[in-house]
Amino acid sequence: MAGKIKNILFIMFDQLRFDYLSCAGHPTLETPNIDRLAAKGVRFSNAYVQSPVCGASRMSFYTGRYVHSHGAAWNNYPLKVGETTLGDHLREIGMDAFLIGKTHMKADEKGMERLGVSRDSIIGARVWECGFDVYLRDDGLWGEGPSGFYDKRRSPYNEYLKARGYEAENPWAENANAGVADDGEIASGWFMKNARKPANIREEDSETPWLTSRAIDFLEERRESDAPWLCHLSYIKPHWPYIVPAPYHAIYGRNQIVPAVRHVSEKTDPHPVHAAFMNNPIGQAFSRDEVRETVIPAYMGLIKQCDDQMGRLFAYMEETGRMDDTMIVITSDHGDYLGDHWLGEKDLFHDPSVKVPLIVFDPSREADAARGTVCDELVEAIDLAPTFIEAAGGEVPRHIVEGRSLLPFLRGEKPDDWREFAVSEYDYSATPMAGELALEPRDARLFMIADRRWKFVHAEGGYPPMLFDLEKDPQELVDLGRSDEHAQIIELMYERLSRWARRLSQRTTVSDAEVVARRGNPYATGILIGVFDEDEIEPRWSEKYRGPARQRFLPDSD
Amino acid sequence: MAGKIKNILFIMFDQLRFDYLSCAGHPTLETPNIDRLAAKGVRFSNAYVQSPVCGASRMSFYTGRYVHSHGAAWNNYPLKVGETTLGDHLREIGMDAFLIGKTHMKADEKGMERLGVSRDSIIGARVWECGFDVYLRDDGLWGEGPSGFYDKRRSPYNEYLKARGYEAENPWAENANAGVADDGEIASGWFMKNARKPANIREEDSETPWLTSRAIDFLEERRESDAPWLCHLSYIKPHWPYIVPAPYHAIYGRNQIVPAVRHVSEKTDPHPVHAAFMNNPIGQAFSRDEVRETVIPAYMGLIKQCDDQMGRLFAYMEETGRMDDTMIVITSDHGDYLGDHWLGEKDLFHDPSVKVPLIVFDPSREADAARGTVCDELVEAIDLAPTFIEAAGGEVPRHIVEGRSLLPFLRGEKPDDWREFAVSEYDYSATPMAGELALEPRDARLFMIADRRWKFVHAEGGYPPMLFDLEKDPQELVDLGRSDEHAQIIELMYERLSRWARRLSQRTTVSDAEVVARRGNPYATGILIGVFDEDEIEPRWSEKYRGPARQRFLPDSD
């Protein structure tokens, strides 16, 4: 730990709650390997994603831009072809960017076609893959129904399993994400009642060890290479289906689960958007104790397996010297309600959904002062892209990238002008809830403004806002959005929202420095606006406009 | 006039004030040809540009999107490569889009290189030229100083003049935009004291007739063609340098100019941004009566010449049948203060700067009812792109194009939900005024919200707003932005600004209809979230997850 940053290992879990790590205070779940990384790095305890849904959140991580800026506001909304990615920025400064695992990237095929960008070209392949060079892409959603697969691509994971002797047509569904019922039938992990069963797969073949092995392959291949890289190791778990192979299925039981953070008062006169989500089948299911007691032990088992795989990966990295030259980040794309606030899944802005774990280990000497510290400043997912650009020796293009580098915090400093509030957004226009609320697509949108005291949510569509006092009500059980007493706070929050919404986010072709440089003299290229007489300006500016008139085309009368 | 729309002739003048036409009430300037078009079409008396500066305004006209959305916020700020243009939309529905004249388009070279879009390809050439196929491109700014030309391209106009026997190196500067002094020296039009001299050029070779001739060439070439086209005929005048050939230089004198709209009270405790513009050399110059009295007759002469050329063009179109099948639009990219409010040029949001003439002639029978009417609804420059798309038979992609079609107004209807306010923006970060006010680039921005009663301007950078009561103070002489009595109006305007700024503008890859279609059933592709027991859903959704488990990989203990 006296090295400097040469590489970056950017590890993302999927749907990992911020508080389901022992270093973050979970009372029964032990994650010693992740905790050890936190002890060597900085853990950010107020890290917000830009949107509590896979696709939109990831597009913000990968572009360093708010959802309102990049526009890919929901799963499978294509990221438009003009957006620049982390990979674009890093390659410009000599660092490669590889992907192992999930991105949920949907390419803007129409935009690529319009610009003649072929998917088969190197440029096109990168546009297609959100700026990454693909070592392995697998989004881990091989669901299949009467209309076919959710994800129409080849499944590297299913190919792997088949090569390992699994005979099912879709071993992701039949083995990795299913147990076996007493009658010998498939007990699909899609049905949460099966969550306590062990998945019908060798543990080492399940998704998390499989991706870890691929990461070790990647590291091994580059062991002797001088070329710096970023590797986005993007796990599929602990995302549903909630089922895990032995022995992880049996480590936790209902005595280890923490009580749901919810109160019956949340169902009295709820905000209409909260109500719509509570009333959907997922909220209904997770409101049942039986569901929580069955699912959460499996979710914890999945996290335990993730932690063990971190131990395996970090041991390999220690052994090969990568701990001395590699920045390591652990985070998630969003959380999981697990029944809190009478909700399941993610989507809204209570902490279990919108906050994520964020641990950054910086191997460089400058980072020694901050090791093992917890930073409670307001941090956003879009801060990682600029952190990586700066760590790789580049200058952050602030006219494109909207986040801010976390390097100062990693080195025990705090910038004077750090942000006062974090922003997150949710576009639920493609969900059944928008239909139930009879909203036009552009009105099914939410904006969160959170500082360290208050969390405010504006809902388009003519609804009142939501407001939580995080100091008096850290569990976010009392919505003050309609409280007259809080009118001033609500006004302040609306002022912040407006300021944020007006921000300069699309002038991405001209940097601030270039703008300032243009404040120079228009006379230099002969644009002499506002000059009545040549005597008003220095002769050199009008040199090109003087001399004898060569010809005369004037009317006779003149 | 009983035809239907086959073609679109989209005529833009540069820096033509909304009130410098006789049909718009100018007391001394006669523009009978433009008036005749207004008598056959609809004149919009409240048409606002999206930014009172060439480049940004035009990029909004050509994309149908606000400046805050496309980001090309000032002259020569490249339009980013992902933006779609009017030409893109029209070609998709079978209409070509040609350019004759000026666009002020600066291509995003870096973005094109990043995506491998070559300027030499058809696609690249269109991206380079803001979506148009170039019949002729000439931005009419062949200024030249010690650092070379303002515009580094070839100048078709200078080439034309040279072919016509003009011997100067830069006949645009030496002939078209200069007179001859008594001593035989060039009397450059850049020096406003020369504005009353006739330009040293044959009238038929000056810029406006030259472009009109090219437009007639274009029409003649397509005379027998069935292929529908939009032609953007984009004049350079009456933009400065203020000088015009005989006889137009002598038609108007100081007795024909209207008094400046200004009051000494505007200089007492002015808004800091207004002050900075009043204090710049242009504002200082135009505050002198001598400057107005010299310049405005030339400006009027330039407009008179434009009108005569419209007469010539429309006569040709009558003769060849084009008046029966061609929609004709006349507008401008912004106005010209000409000393009003102690200002010159454009830039701020008083009517002379931000309002433009807008006349639309629709040859189709459905438009008969509205001929000769004046529409005072709030119209924006971005409304033309959707008008053209609809006129060409297409459906407006509302997830991309932010303006609204004007076709209803052309046909005597008014949509129930027409906009309540118009928005314009100005980014002056690249001007010396930003430097004088010591503003960071992102703080040198203004936003206008105007309805039919009030005009409000928010200034970033910690300044108070500006506010004008258009009913009580139609000349906009009294800034109420700091008036406590108007706090409620100001609050309403800030609420509107926030709503506008939050608008959905970047989800350009998915249409509203596609969003709604996605509200369907996730079960169809086997994504079974929130299901505890298979009995909760119809058997067909879980078909792929049932059947006998083929193999067993479970631990012995299980």
Side-chain angles (χ1 to χ4, degrees):
Chain A
M1 246 183 298
K4 61 188 207 98
I5 300 167
K6 187 188 144 223
N7 311 307
I8 299 167
L9 181 61
F10 170 24
I11 301 170
M12 187 177 283
F13 292 103
D14 196 326
Q15 201 141 330
L16 174 60
R17 276 175 69 126
F18 80 104
D19 54 354
Y20 271 57
L21 297 175
S22 40
C23 61
H26 196 284
T28 60
L29 178 63
E30 295 292 336
T31 52
N33 297 295
I34 294 174
D35 293 2
R36 248 193 317 274
L37 194 79
K40 294 197 294 188
V42 175
R43 184 168 70 80
F44 294 89
S45 60
N46 274 312
Y48 289 91
V49 287
Q50 261 48 65
S51 185
V53 64
C54 274
S57 174
R58 288 164 181 268
M59 295 309 114
S60 285
F61 271 107
Y62 305 150
T63 59
R65 289 164 59 73
Y66 290 105
V67 177
H68 189 242
S69 302
H70 63 62
W74 214 64
N75 294 333
N76 304 316
Y77 282 17
L79 181 70
K80 60 172 165 251
V81 71
E83 287 290 310
T84 44
T85 60
L86 181 54
D88 295 323
H89 297 301
L90 292 180
R91 275 188 296 271
E92 235 177 56
I93 51 173
M95 181 180 271
D96 286 321
F98 296 97
L99 169 71
I100 302 178
K102 173 168 180 169
T103 58
H104 225 130
M105 168 68 178
K106 170 88 173 166
D108 175 10
E109 283 196 67
K110 202 176 161 190
M112 289 176 72
E113 194 187 318
R114 197 174 60 240
L115 292 171
V117 180
S118 161
R119 195 186 155 179
D120 299 330
S121 63
I122 291 177
I123 287 172
R126 285 170 175 163
V127 171
W128 193 266
E129 293 293 356
C130 204
F132 293 108
D133 286 327
V134 172
Y135 187 82
L136 183 154
R137 162 102 186 251
D138 192 298
D139 279 7
L141 284 169
W142 304 106
E144 194 182 0
S147 305
F149 276 91
Y150 170 80
D151 185 337
K152 317 287 183 208
R153 284 168 285 218
R154 283 174 53 192
S155 165
Y157 182 55
N158 269 341
E159 288 172 12
Y160 165 81
L161 291 180
K162 286 178 185 179
R164 294 274 294 164
Y166 293 80
E167 293 164 6
E169 276 174 46
N170 181 356
W172 175 86
E174 191 168 327
N175 299 98
N177 289 285
V180 180
D182 293 341
D183 58 3
E185 295 283 302
I186 296 165
S188 173
W190 283 114
F191 306 116
M192 295 190 286
K193 71 172 186 186
N194 296 323
R196 300 301 312 274
K197 292 186 192 295
N200 185 19
I201 191 169
R202 293 179 207 108
E203 192 271 331
E204 69 266 27
D205 290 335
S206 62
E207 290 158 284
T208 304
W210 170 66
L211 282 173
T212 307
S213 299
R214 298 296 76 75
I216 291 172
D217 292 346
F218 172 88
L219 293 168
E220 189 66 18
E221 285 169 25
R222 271 151 197 80
R223 193 158 167 179
E224 306 301 328
S225 163
D226 288 333
W229 46 258
L230 173 138
C231 174
H232 180 40
L233 173 56
S234 188
Y235 287 97
I236 291 156
K237 291 295 174 183
H239 192 279
W240 42 254
Y242 303 103
I243 191 162
V244 63
Y248 297 101
H249 75 296
I251 296 179
Y252 302 99
R254 67 169 143 174
N255 289 337
Q256 278 84 42
I257 73 174
V258 293
V261 175
R262 68 190 180 199
H263 194 274
V264 286
S265 62
E266 289 179 283
K267 293 186 164 184
T268 309
D269 193 20
H271 191 284
V273 178
H274 189 185
F277 280 84
M278 285 194 288
N279 291 335
N280 78 15
I282 305 161
Q284 294 286 309
F286 276 93
S287 294
R288 290 162 55 198
D289 289 339
E290 180 189 22
V291 171
R292 294 186 77 249
E293 287 167 9
T294 314
V295 163
I296 295 177
Y299 180 72
M300 292 169 70
L302 284 164
I303 296 169
K304 184 73 182 166
Q305 186 187 28
C306 290
D307 186 72
D308 282 348
Q309 290 300 316
M310 291 297 97
R312 182 180 158 221
L313 178 64
F314 297 157
Y316 172 86
M317 292 179 73
E318 291 278 7
E319 198 181 301
T320 53
R322 287 294 79 75
M323 276 291 176
D324 300 327
D325 63 9
T326 305
M327 170 180 269
I328 304 175
V329 171
I330 288 182
T331 190
S332 177
D333 58 349
H334 53 74
D336 190 326
Y337 273 109
L338 295 174
D340 289 356
H341 309 287
W342 312 99
L343 297 167
E345 276 275 88
K346 45 266 180 179
D347 305 316
L348 301 184
F349 300 107
H350 300 90
D351 279 359
S353 171
V354 74
K355 265 188 171 179
V356 286
L358 178 60
I359 294 164
V360 185
F361 162 69
D362 174 349
S364 58
R365 196 174 311 234
E366 297 91 319
D368 287 349
R371 297 196 191 287
T373 60
V374 177
C375 174
D376 63 0
E377 292 294 333
L378 297 165
V379 162
E380 299 183 329
I382 56 175
D383 295 338
L384 286 182
T387 304
F388 298 156
I389 293 168
E390 201 169 288
E395 197 180 326
V396 180
R398 288 199 62 192
H399 58 303
I400 303 173
V401 171
E402 298 185 275
R404 295 189 57 182
S405 168
L406 300 174
L407 274 200
F409 297 118
L410 301 181
R411 290 158 186 199
E413 297 150 24
K414 190 204 151 180
D416 290 337
D417 59 345
W418 194 251
R419 69 171 63 86
E420 287 181 289
F421 55 89
V423 180
S424 191
E425 302 166 68
Y426 188 58
D427 182 331
Y428 59 106
S429 56
T431 73
M433 282 62 81
E436 273 156 38
L437 294 166
L439 291 170
E440 288 296 313
R442 59 195 60 215
D443 288 335
R445 295 185 299 142
L446 306 172
F447 296 88
M448 178 204 82
I449 304 281
D451 60 23
R452 298 211 274 177
R453 171 73 192 269
W454 302 99
K455 187 183 285 177
F456 163 88
V457 178
H458 165 68
E460 298 288 341
Y463 297 119
M466 302 178 220
L467 181 73
F468 299 100
D469 182 339
L470 303 178
E471 196 174 288
K472 294 191 184 154
D473 173 31
Q475 294 197 315
E476 310 175 88
L477 296 169
V478 184
D479 175 5
L480 303 167
R482 285 161 282 178
S483 152
D484 291 338
E485 277 170 58
H486 295 82
Q488 268 196 310
I489 291 296
I490 289 170
E491 194 185 321
L492 169 69
M493 292 301 194
Y494 268 114
E495 194 280 315
R496 287 173 168 178
L497 175 59
S498 180
R499 191 184 344 147
W500 173 82
R502 293 190 312 260
R503 79 198 179 283
L504 187 70
S505 65
Q506 302 301 328
R507 193 250 287 145
T508 53
T509 58
V510 189
S511 72
D512 283 14
E514 287 168 316
V515 166
V516 172
R518 286 178 197 222
R519 290 180 187 169
N521 187 350
Y523 297 168
T525 53
I527 301 294
L528 311 181
I529 316 169
V531 182
F532 189 73
D533 195 301
E534 63 255 54
D535 298 345
E536 295 167 14
I537 57 173
E538 291 175 43
R540 61 184 169 135
W541 305 127
S542 64
E543 197 180 333
K544 297 284 182 185
Y545 304 137
R546 285 181 281 120
R550 272 165 251 233
Q551 296 159 286
R552 281 186 166 253
F553 300 94
L554 301 174
D556 298 338
S557 64
D558 211 84
Chain B
M1 247 185 301
K4 60 189 208 98
I5 299 167
K6 186 189 145 223
N7 311 306
I8 298 168
L9 180 60
F10 170 23
I11 301 170
M12 187 178 283
F13 293 103
D14 196 326
Q15 201 140 331
L16 174 60
R17 277 175 68 127
F18 79 104
D19 54 354
Y20 270 58
L21 297 174
S22 40
C23 60
H26 196 284
T28 59
L29 178 63
E30 294 293 336
T31 51
N33 297 296
I34 294 174
D35 294 1
R36 246 191 320 271
L37 194 78
K40 295 197 293 188
V42 175
R43 184 168 70 80
F44 293 90
S45 60
N46 274 313
Y48 289 91
V49 288
Q50 261 47 68
S51 184
V53 64
C54 273
S57 174
R58 287 163 182 269
M59 295 309 113
S60 284
F61 272 107
Y62 305 149
T63 59
R65 288 162 59 73
Y66 290 105
V67 178
H68 189 241
S69 301
H70 63 63
W74 214 63
N75 293 332
N76 304 316
Y77 282 16
L79 182 70
K80 60 172 167 252
V81 73
E83 287 291 311
T84 44
T85 60
L86 182 53
D88 294 323
H89 297 300
L90 291 180
R91 275 189 296 271
E92 235 176 56
I93 52 174
M95 181 180 271
D96 286 320
F98 296 96
L99 169 71
I100 302 178
K102 172 168 179 169
T103 58
H104 225 131
M105 168 69 178
K106 169 89 173 165
D108 176 10
E109 285 197 67
K110 203 176 160 190
M112 289 175 72
E113 194 189 318
R114 196 175 62 240
L115 291 173
V117 180
S118 162
R119 194 185 156 180
D120 299 331
S121 63
I122 292 178
I123 288 172
R126 287 170 175 163
V127 171
W128 192 267
E129 293 292 358
C130 204
F132 293 108
D133 285 329
V134 172
Y135 187 81
L136 182 154
R137 162 101 187 251
D138 192 299
D139 279 6
L141 284 169
W142 304 105
E144 193 183 0
S147 305
F149 277 92
Y150 169 81
D151 186 336
K152 317 288 183 208
R153 284 167 286 218
R154 283 174 54 191
S155 164
Y157 183 54
N158 270 340
E159 288 172 12
Y160 166 81
L161 291 181
K162 287 178 187 181
R164 294 273 295 164
Y166 293 80
E167 293 165 7
E169 276 173 44
N170 181 356
W172 175 86
E174 190 169 325
N175 299 99
N177 288 286
V180 180
D182 293 340
D183 59 4
E185 295 284 301
I186 297 165
S188 172
W190 283 115
F191 305 116
M192 293 189 286
K193 70 172 185 186
N194 297 322
R196 299 301 312 274
K197 294 186 191 295
N200 184 18
I201 190 168
R202 293 179 207 108
E203 192 272 331
E204 69 266 28
D205 290 336
S206 62
E207 289 159 283
T208 303
W210 170 65
L211 282 174
T212 307
S213 299
R214 297 298 74 76
I216 292 172
D217 292 347
F218 172 89
L219 293 169
E220 190 64 20
E221 285 169 25
R222 270 153 198 80
R223 194 158 167 181
E224 305 301 329
S225 163
D226 286 333
W229 46 259
L230 173 139
C231 174
H232 180 40
L233 173 55
S234 186
Y235 287 97
I236 290 155
K237 292 294 175 185
H239 192 279
W240 43 251
Y242 304 103
I243 192 162
V244 63
Y248 297 101
H249 75 295
I251 297 179
Y252 301 100
R254 66 171 144 173
N255 290 338
Q256 278 84 41
I257 73 175
V258 293
V261 175
R262 67 190 180 200
H263 195 273
V264 286
S265 62
E266 289 178 283
K267 293 185 161 182
T268 309
D269 193 21
H271 190 283
V273 178
H274 189 186
F277 280 85
M278 285 194 288
N279 291 334
N280 78 14
I282 304 161
Q284 294 286 309
F286 276 93
S287 294
R288 291 162 54 198
D289 290 338
E290 180 189 22
V291 171
R292 294 186 77 248
E293 287 168 8
T294 314
V295 163
I296 294 177
Y299 179 72
M300 291 168 70
L302 285 164
I303 296 169
K304 184 71 184 167
Q305 186 187 28
C306 289
D307 187 72
D308 282 348
Q309 291 299 316
M310 291 298 95
R312 183 181 158 221
L313 179 63
F314 297 157
Y316 173 85
M317 291 179 73
E318 292 278 7
E319 198 181 300
T320 53
R322 286 295 77 75
M323 277 290 175
D324 300 327
D325 64 9
T326 305
M327 170 179 268
I328 304 175
V329 171
I330 288 183
T331 191
S332 177
D333 58 349
H334 53 75
D336 190 326
Y337 273 110
L338 295 175
D340 289 355
H341 309 287
W342 312 98
L343 297 167
E345 277 273 87
K346 45 266 180 178
D347 303 318
L348 301 185
F349 300 105
H350 300 90
D351 279 359
S353 172
V354 73
K355 264 188 170 179
V356 286
L358 179 60
I359 295 164
V360 185
F361 162 69
D362 174 348
S364 56
R365 193 174 313 236
E366 297 91 318
D368 287 347
R371 297 196 192 286
T373 59
V374 177
C375 173
D376 63 359
E377 292 295 333
L378 297 165
V379 162
E380 299 184 328
I382 55 175
D383 295 338
L384 286 181
T387 303
F388 298 156
I389 294 168
E390 202 169 287
E395 197 180 327
V396 180
R398 288 199 61 192
H399 58 302
I400 304 174
V401 172
E402 298 185 276
R404 295 189 57 183
S405 168
L406 301 175
L407 275 200
F409 296 118
L410 301 181
R411 292 160 185 197
E413 296 150 27
K414 191 203 151 182
D416 291 336
D417 59 345
W418 194 250
R419 68 171 63 86
E420 287 180 288
F421 56 89
V423 180
S424 190
E425 303 167 67
Y426 188 57
D427 181 331
Y428 59 107
S429 55
T431 73
M433 283 62 80
E436 273 156 37
L437 294 167
L439 290 171
E440 289 295 314
R442 60 194 58 215
D443 287 335
R445 293 186 299 141
L446 306 173
F447 296 87
M448 179 203 81
I449 303 282
D451 60 23
R452 298 212 275 177
R453 170 73 192 268
W454 302 99
K455 188 183 283 177
F456 163 88
V457 178
H458 165 69
E460 298 288 339
Y463 298 118
M466 303 177 220
L467 181 73
F468 298 100
D469 183 338
L470 302 177
E471 195 174 288
K472 293 191 183 154
D473 173 30
Q475 294 197 315
E476 308 175 271
L477 296 170
V478 185
D479 175 5
L480 304 167
R482 286 161 281 177
S483 153
D484 291 339
E485 275 170 59
H486 295 83
Q488 268 195 311
I489 291 295
I490 290 170
E491 194 184 320
L492 169 68
M493 292 300 194
Y494 269 114
E495 193 280 315
R496 287 173 168 178
L497 175 59
S498 179
R499 191 185 342 147
W500 173 83
R502 295 190 311 261
R503 79 199 178 282
L504 187 70
S505 65
Q506 302 301 330
R507 192 249 287 145
T508 52
T509 58
V510 190
S511 72
D512 283 14
E514 286 168 317
V515 166
V516 172
R518 287 178 197 220
R519 290 181 187 169
N521 188 350
Y523 298 168
T525 53
I527 301 295
L528 311 181
I529 317 170
V531 182
F532 189 73
D533 194 301
E534 63 255 53
D535 299 344
E536 295 167 15
I537 57 173
E538 289 175 43
R540 60 184 171 134
W541 305 125
S542 64
E543 198 181 334
K544 297 285 182 183
Y545 305 136
R546 285 181 281 119
R550 274 166 248 231
Q551 295 160 288
R552 280 185 168 253
F553 301 94
L554 301 173
D556 297 339
S557 65
D558 211 88

